[in-house]
Every structure is written in C-alpha cells, then in structure tokens.
Amino acid sequence: MAAVAAIYSELQDLNTEVLAISTDSVYAHKIFKEISPSARQVQYPLVSDRNQLISRAYRTIDEQNGAAFRTTVIVDPEGTIVSKITYPREVGRNSQELLRLIQGIQFGRETGLGVPGDWVPGMPGIPRRPEDIGRI
C-alpha cells in the first residue's frame, strides 16, 4: 500500500485530484478505514454515493445489485471524460497503470504527439497522422 501512497503523491504533482466514490454509506467507509490496513493508507476522499446519483450519471451502476462497478473515470479540467475503464469484479485496479495513463494524456496534450503502448515518461511520442493508422 505504500506504493499507492507514492502514486497518490505523484498524481498530486501532476495537478490531479483523486476521489474514491462508492455506493457504500459514510459509516461503511469509516469502518472500512478502521479495520482495513490498506484503507488506512488512503489519502484521498472517500465519497458516499448512497443515492446513486454519481454512479448513474457516469453509467457505472450495476442495476442487478445496486452497487457501482469498479470504474475509473478521468475527467479533464474542462469537464470532459477522457477515459473510462470498468474492471471485472474479480480484478483490482493497477495504480501504476492509472498513473501512466494520466501521464500519457498530459504528455499528448502538451506535445501533440500520440502515446504508444508500453510508453513511459521519458520515451518519445509518435506523430498522430491518419495515414499512419495500421502502419505503426
């Protein structure tokens, strides 16, 4: 969990805000933070969406059980959703990959270049040209 704290620190350096939103109550969040060693390390706000307004707005609600799917939504400063990833219930999120995703989005916006698969900061981007689609 120390790695998650380090990643959260890096996200703050990228001028990024992180919220954890669930359909659990604030009381469930409180107990979760008290009994879970990993949850105690969470440094960002846990938001309760008991009325499911946020989950429905982002279309992440599982209508069969009333809980939200594990979804990561990245919203840019203009309020546009630039990425939305929904994970299977059996699979947890990869905080390193989420950090890389945000770094890649910011890199692309700053340089105008595309970000290839397995890109990490420090690597070059690629020109975004329609004629190169399927060739790279």
Side-chain angles (χ1 to χ4, degrees):
M1 200 60 180
V4 173
I7 289 169
Y8 179 69
S9 176
E10 288 187 56
L11 287 172
Q12 288 179 310
D13 292 344
L14 292 172
N15 197 26
T16 305
E17 294 181 44
V18 176
L19 301 173
I21 304 170
S22 81
T23 54
D24 295 327
S25 70
V26 292
Y27 307 107
H29 288 170
K30 182 179 183 315
I31 298 298
F32 180 57
K33 285 193 85 163
E34 288 175 2
I35 65 171
S36 169
S38 59
R40 277 188 227 120
Q41 303 298 315
V42 172
Q43 301 173 22
Y44 43 85
L46 299 176
V47 178
S48 174
D49 184 29
R50 280 310 275 168
N51 60 14
Q52 302 175 348
L53 291 175
I54 299 167
S55 301
R56 289 183 189 283
Y58 285 97
R59 297 182 179 151
T60 63
I61 197 76
D62 180 346
E63 296 291 348
Q64 292 181 348
N65 69 17
F69 290 106
R70 285 188 176 154
T71 303
T72 299
V73 180
I74 300 174
V75 182
D76 72 10
E78 290 76 41
T80 302
I81 296 173
V82 295
S83 177
K84 180 178 171 185
I85 305 167
T86 300
Y87 295 82
R89 295 205 184 283
E90 307 79 30
V91 179
R93 286 164 279 220
N94 181 319
S95 51
Q96 282 290 118
E97 176 57 16
L98 295 176
L99 175 62
R100 187 188 84 85
L101 179 60
I102 292 168
Q103 290 168 326
I105 291 167
Q106 291 184 356
F107 174 85
R109 288 180 174 203
E110 291 167 4
T111 64
L113 296 172
V115 176
D118 296 325
W119 174 91
V120 292
M123 291 176 66
I126 54 176
R128 293 189 227 182
R129 297 189 310 232
E131 61 270 18
D132 289 338
I133 294 174
R135 294 184 188 164
I136 297 177

